[in-house]
Amino acid sequence: MHPLLENINLFDISSLTEENVKDILTEARVLPEKISAPMCPTCGSETSANRDSSRKLGWMWICKKKNQLKCSGKVNPTSNTFFENVKIHILDVFVLIVCFIVKLQISLVLEQLNMFRRRRGQPQMSWATIVDFYSRLREVAEIIGSHHDKLLGGPGKTILLDETFLTKRKYNKGRKTKTMTQVVLGIYCRDDKEGIFFLVDGEKKKDLWPRIARHCNPETSVICTDSATQYHNINKLFNDAIHKTTNHKKGEFVNKTDKLNTINPLENENRHFKKSIVSRKSEKSIIQYMALHFYRRTRLNTLKSLDAKVQMFLEDISWVFPGYGKEGLQLKKIEAPTVESEGISDMMPKTFNKKLLNALSDDDEVPFVDDEDGDPNWEEF
């Protein structure tokens, strides 16, 4: 970690210079070093760093044989970095990165950043510029998070399962309808305090079980859910798990004789998760904010100090934008799991005829069906 980054806070940033920030970003590999010169893209000869005040870094790589071979080969050192085609000052970008990490609202960022720019005699920055950079930073978090494939739970551990709902209304007005409600499945390991959320197509077993099967360790010991029918026999997805339930319809959120039989920790995670979904205009934006919540939860929040968080995020930026001639991490796209892909087709309900089910006695053995009404005590948004 660069010495200027140690114990940094928002108040210290204003004392940094453009050159200070260049040094910090170079040490974090977000910007290249002059000595890491690539080969000339024109003739294949060596290049060297030459001063060029018109460039963002104040220099660029130029072919060493420009005079001998009349080669005009040049390489922009910001090529394939986070700063490629960036027009604003590097110091301002660094300020935006720190503000993003501490979750500072855009309105406050705009106010503080423009105050710094006024002191430097620079023009005001627009709202759209900050929104654009925040979006790019979310993309970095989404890409890094997509490469996290750790299974939740494990031997001796407890998994909590529950759905929550995101509701979007045009212009934030009007009645909520079923088509406006998006179902989110939450999976949370109580022992590791790690969780993940997935946007799913519905509340039925066929929508939930494939995600649970793919992302939970089959050796998990205990599964806690509410008493909704879509979780009936959920322990079949695991090798030897105990399934504990609480009946929310009867006001039971913590079992009286077993205080660990509750999904309250996941309900609490649901509230934090919903607050993190700033925009619900499209499924793409929702997924991106979900990925950001996961990234913060599993990476940034594991560190206590701001300087450590900034250092980690800068290193993650360098993995996505590694520089000229290098291939960065790409968004890892995985097909959504299905009952067929997870090999659990035989566990799905065999009938959806509710009239037939109601006609059968309680003693008859019939497959459970999903309760379309769900759990009325689930928190809606």
Side-chain angles (χ1 to χ4, degrees):
M1 181 185 297
H2 194 282
L4 290 174
L5 193 56
E6 294 179 2
N7 301 316
I8 195 171
N9 57 59
L10 285 174
F11 300 102
D12 294 335
I13 296 178
S14 60
S15 64
L16 295 176
T17 66
E18 187 88 354
E19 294 304 315
N20 291 154
V21 173
K22 287 180 183 178
D23 291 340
I24 292 172
L25 297 177
T26 300
E27 185 161 322
R29 296 177 300 166
V30 176
L31 291 175
E33 295 182 290
K34 291 182 179 181
I35 59 174
S36 59
M39 304 305 289
C40 175
T42 303
C43 69
S45 301
E46 293 181 350
T47 63
S48 61
N50 287 255
R51 182 178 296 179
D52 187 340
S53 58
S54 66
R55 301 291 175 173
K56 181 168 288 293
L57 300 185
W59 58 273
M60 70 182 309
W61 287 306
I62 298 177
C63 180
K64 287 184 176 181
K65 295 186 177 181
K66 65 175 182 177
N67 295 323
Q68 182 180 353
L69 299 179
K70 304 297 182 181
C71 180
S72 59
K74 298 179 180 180
V75 176
N76 186 345
T78 62
S79 178
N80 198 34
T81 71
F82 186 77
F83 289 87
E84 185 174 13
N85 299 322
V86 170
K87 305 298 182 184
I88 64 176
H89 289 270
I90 292 176
L91 174 58
D92 292 333
V93 176
F94 182 72
V95 172
L96 288 174
I97 291 173
V98 176
C99 290
F100 176 82
I101 291 172
V102 300
K103 298 192 287 188
L104 201 62
Q105 292 181 351
I106 291 179
S107 57
L108 295 177
V109 177
L110 186 65
E111 179 183 341
Q112 294 299 317
L113 195 54
N114 281 333
M115 182 177 66
F116 294 152
R117 292 173 69 88
R118 281 195 298 271
R119 291 176 183 173
R120 302 197 300 262
Q122 296 171 348
Q124 300 289 287
M125 184 178 293
S126 69
W127 177 284
T129 299
I130 299 177
V131 169
D132 180 61
F133 270 95
Y134 264 42
S135 177
R136 292 189 66 197
L137 295 172
R138 286 196 302 272
E139 288 176 4
V140 171
E142 183 180 15
I143 291 171
I144 296 296
S146 71
H147 290 266
H148 180 97
D149 54 2
K150 176 184 175 182
L151 293 177
L152 294 173
K157 297 180 179 180
T158 299
I159 286 290
L160 314 182
L161 303 171
D162 190 26
E163 305 103 275
T164 189
F165 302 92
L166 298 175
T167 303
K168 62 176 183 177
R169 282 175 273 182
K170 191 173 183 180
Y171 309 121
N172 202 33
K173 296 179 180 179
R175 294 179 56 196
K176 292 187 294 185
T177 66
K178 196 167 185 178
T179 57
M180 295 177 181
T181 301
Q182 294 168 298
V183 184
V184 176
L185 170 66
I187 306 175
Y188 183 77
C189 178
R190 176 160 46 207
D191 308 270
D192 297 331
K193 292 182 172 56
E194 291 185 355
I196 190 169
F197 292 91
F198 295 102
L199 202 61
V200 292
D201 293 333
E203 307 165 54
K204 300 181 184 297
K205 284 187 177 182
K206 65 181 179 64
D207 304 313
L208 308 181
W209 283 36
R211 291 286 187 184
I212 298 169
R214 176 171 291 186
H215 296 282
C216 291
N217 190 318
E219 299 297 327
T220 299
S221 299
V222 180
I223 310 298
C224 288
T225 70
D226 55 33
S227 57
T229 54
Q230 53 262 47
Y231 295 120
H232 182 75
N233 285 333
I234 191 69
N235 53 307
K236 288 184 177 180
L237 293 179
F238 302 84
N239 294 340
D240 193 26
I242 299 173
H243 182 200
K244 299 181 179 181
T245 64
T246 47
N247 194 329
H248 289 188
K249 290 182 179 180
K250 295 183 178 180
E252 180 192 32
F253 296 93
V254 180
N255 186 277
K256 293 181 180 179
T257 59
D258 182 3
K259 299 302 181 183
L260 293 179
N261 181 7
T262 177
I263 59 171
N264 281 350
L266 178 52
E267 295 279 7
N268 185 50
E269 284 291 317
N270 287 344
R271 286 191 287 272
H272 290 296
F273 163 72
K274 287 181 177 180
K275 290 179 181 178
S276 71
I277 310 299
V278 178
S279 173
R280 306 179 187 186
K281 293 181 179 179
S282 66
E283 184 172 309
K284 180 181 178 181
S285 65
I286 291 176
I287 291 175
Q288 195 176 74
Y289 277 106
M290 289 173 67
L292 176 59
H293 175 79
F294 177 75
Y295 176 84
R296 291 188 186 279
R297 192 75 174 76
T298 58
R299 288 184 68 77
L300 293 185
N301 291 357
T302 62
L303 304 172
K304 293 183 179 180
S305 63
L306 177 58
D307 55 6
K309 293 180 180 181
V310 173
Q311 178 69 21
M312 173 178 280
F313 193 69
L314 292 178
E315 291 174 357
D316 286 343
I317 289 176
S318 72
W319 283 110
V320 178
F321 299 96
Y324 178 79
K326 301 175 183 177
E327 184 176 354
L329 280 181
Q330 302 294 319
L331 182 65
K332 187 177 180 181
K333 294 185 178 181
I334 303 175
E335 292 295 326
T338 63
V339 293
E340 291 79 17
S341 68
E342 304 309 306
I344 57 174
S345 300
D346 58 326
M347 299 182 188
M348 294 298 103
K350 301 300 187 296
T351 179
F352 290 90
N353 190 329
K354 286 193 172 183
K355 291 183 179 180
L356 173 61
L357 292 176
N358 292 334
L360 296 171
S361 69
D362 293 337
D363 296 328
D364 290 323
E365 292 186 6
V366 295
F368 268 69
V369 297
D370 296 327
D371 183 0
E372 293 183 355
D373 296 328
D375 186 336
N377 287 301
W378 284 335
E379 182 183 11
E380 291 194 4
F381 197 85

